[in-house]
């Protein structure tokens, strides 16, 4: 774990605000648009995450992986107890949201959330050091999430907690994911990455309704049978530990296509488009600031001229 220990003074994101000694402006009244206010709010959170201590990131990510076990637990229990009931499909998939609620409300590190939050500072100032900080964050958080999901999958398999019906439900949930070939894993994961990134983008404006945003957006992921690298890892590792699947099947066809899809959906599509929509706002803001400074300089020069006269 020593490799995660860092000197926090060295972990500093390159940004115009840091170089000028200013803070990121997140007040909508002082920004050209509401979209830019959201962008700057998320970018500020992203900078904080990129600069966090490695060990803190890792253990928070492990906690998130463990918490994601709640999604499989709730979905499995609902699957057993709602058989034959009207609307059972909708209610069963509502269980999928439980893990996300715990992770996000507890501020634990979730990989797919970081695919948009931590990317915005890098898009704003794409330097080598910022890119390295992003890769460091993603690597630590992904590793911690997988460790956490493996631990909770082990617990579900080997601890005397669940009856045979619930264990069978866990098997069925995991095997349904494995019905997707690699191409479909990737495509489904790309859509889920987009939805999770959209959810993160909605948080600054959600206020006290944040938990409802989490439920609605993650429920949509479940209803669409979309793949997610962290939740899916609990489901597939459970099958690995009970001998249904081989270790290699965790990586292919599941983990690698799903990871790539989540990154593409959350980063290369959503974050790029979200950043692109406010580029002109940023440019206009800089022009307005430059114009204001020029006017102040002109007024100052005029006053100096009058005094000299």
């Amino acid at each position: 774990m020593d490799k995660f220990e860092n000197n926090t003074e060295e972990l500093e994101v390159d940004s115009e605000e840091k170089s000028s000694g200013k803070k990121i402006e997140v007040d909508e009244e002082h920004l050209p648009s509401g979209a830019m206010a959201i962008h700057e709010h998320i970018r500020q959170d992203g900078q904080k995450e990129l600069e966090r201590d490695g060990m803190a990131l890792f253990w928070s990510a492990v906690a998130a992986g463990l918490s994601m076990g709640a999604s499989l637990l709730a979905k499995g229990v609902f699957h057993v107890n709602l058989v034959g009931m009207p609307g059972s499909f909708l209610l069963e998939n509502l269980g999928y949201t439980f893990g996300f609620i715990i992770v996000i409300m507890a501020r634990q590190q979730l990989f797919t959330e970081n695919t948009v939050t931590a990317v915005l500072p890098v898009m704003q100032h794409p330097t080598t050091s910022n890119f390295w900080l992003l890769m460091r964050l993603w690597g630590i958080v992904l590793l911690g999430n997988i460790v956490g999901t493996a631990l909770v999958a082990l617990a579900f398999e080997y601890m005397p907690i669940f009856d045979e019906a619930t264990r069978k439900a866990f098997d069925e949930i995991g095997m349904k994911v494995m019905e997707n070939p690699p191409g479909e894993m990737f495509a489904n994961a790309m859509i889920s990455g987009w939805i999770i990134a959209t959810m993160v983008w909605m948080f600054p404006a959600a206020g006290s309704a944040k938990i409802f945003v989490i439920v609605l957006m993650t429920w949509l992921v479940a209803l669409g049978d979309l793949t997610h690298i962290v939740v899916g890892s609990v489901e597939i590792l459970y099958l690995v530990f009970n001998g249904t699947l081989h270790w290699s099947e965790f990586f292919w066809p599941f983990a690698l296509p799903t990871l790539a899809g989540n990154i593409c959906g959350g980063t290369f599509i959503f974050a790029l488009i979200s950043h692109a929509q406010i580029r002109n706002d940023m440019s206009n803001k800089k022009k307005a600031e430059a114009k204001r400074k020029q006017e102040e300089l002109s007024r100052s020069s005029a006053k100096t001229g009058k005094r000299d006269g």
Side-chain angles (χ1 to χ4, degrees):
M1 296 299 180
D2 292 341
K3 63 182 178 181
F4 295 144
E5 295 177 2
N6 297 284
N7 184 342
T8 54
E9 294 180 359
E10 297 176 357
L11 299 176
E12 188 166 301
V13 176
D14 291 335
S15 67
E16 294 179 7
E17 290 80 13
K18 291 287 179 69
S19 59
S20 63
K22 297 179 180 178
K23 292 184 178 180
I24 296 175
E25 178 61 66
V26 295
D27 187 355
E28 186 173 341
E29 294 182 1
H30 296 89
L31 292 172
S33 68
M36 187 172 178
I38 293 174
H39 179 281
E40 296 299 86
H41 186 100
I42 296 174
R43 182 165 71 91
Q44 180 173 264
D45 288 343
Q47 287 195 181
K48 292 177 182 177
E49 297 301 331
L50 288 170
E51 295 172 352
R52 282 189 68 185
D53 174 73
M55 285 300 294
L57 285 172
F58 177 75
W59 290 115
S60 180
V62 171
L66 290 168
S67 298
M68 275 301 177
S71 290
L72 178 60
L73 171 59
K75 196 171 179 180
V77 171
F78 286 176
H79 181 84
V80 172
N81 292 281
L82 296 175
V83 175
M85 289 183 60
S88 60
F89 173 77
L90 297 176
L91 292 175
E92 178 183 328
N93 282 288
L94 186 61
Y96 188 89
T97 70
F98 284 36
F100 284 97
I101 294 171
I102 296 169
V103 168
I104 296 171
M105 298 304 292
R107 305 288 293 181
Q108 296 167 352
Q109 288 290 330
L110 182 65
F111 178 78
T112 47
E113 190 177 359
N114 282 323
T115 55
V116 60
T117 304
V119 165
L120 292 186
V122 181
M123 290 184 175
Q124 178 82 351
H125 212 67
T127 64
T128 302
S129 60
N130 280 353
F131 183 76
W132 180 87
L133 287 174
L134 178 63
M135 293 298 102
R136 165 188 169 272
L137 174 70
W138 277 5
I140 294 173
V141 171
L142 181 60
L143 176 61
N145 285 168
I146 298 302
V147 169
T149 57
L151 291 173
V152 76
L154 273 171
F156 283 5
E157 170 58 23
Y158 291 107
M159 294 182 69
I161 306 173
F162 306 108
D163 58 24
E164 198 58 37
T166 304
R167 292 179 181 277
K168 184 179 179 181
F170 292 162
D171 286 342
E172 291 175 1
I173 291 169
M175 290 307 296
K176 188 174 183 180
V177 175
M178 294 300 291
E179 290 176 359
N180 296 297
E184 291 183 15
M185 289 281 193
F186 174 82
N188 289 341
M190 189 164 61
I191 298 172
S192 72
W194 171 278
I195 293 173
I196 298 301
T198 303
M199 176 184 71
V200 173
W201 190 264
M202 294 168 67
F203 283 164
S208 59
K210 184 175 181 179
I211 191 169
F212 296 105
V213 172
I214 298 170
V215 170
L216 289 175
M217 299 303 282
T218 56
W219 194 14
L220 181 60
V221 172
L223 291 173
D225 283 330
L226 305 178
T227 48
H228 185 277
I229 184 61
V230 184
V231 182
S233 291
V234 181
E235 298 166 349
I236 307 307
L237 287 173
Y238 179 81
L239 297 178
V240 171
F241 292 135
N242 70 18
T244 303
L245 297 178
H246 188 268
W247 267 104
S248 62
E249 294 176 275
F250 168 75
F251 294 103
W252 191 271
F254 168 70
L256 295 178
T258 301
L259 177 62
N262 284 162
I263 292 174
C264 285
T267 301
F268 297 123
I269 297 179
F270 187 89
L272 278 171
I273 292 174
S274 300
H275 182 71
Q277 71 169 319
I278 54 85
R279 282 181 66 90
N280 287 339
D281 288 337
M282 290 180 175
S283 178
N284 292 336
K285 181 187 176 186
K286 290 179 181 178
K287 289 178 182 178
E289 289 176 349
K291 183 178 180 181
R292 186 173 64 252
K293 288 180 180 179
Q294 185 62 40
E295 290 174 350
E296 290 175 354
L297 182 61
S298 297
R299 286 196 295 268
S300 177
S301 298
K303 289 180 181 178
T304 302
K306 289 180 179 178
R307 286 197 298 266
D308 292 342

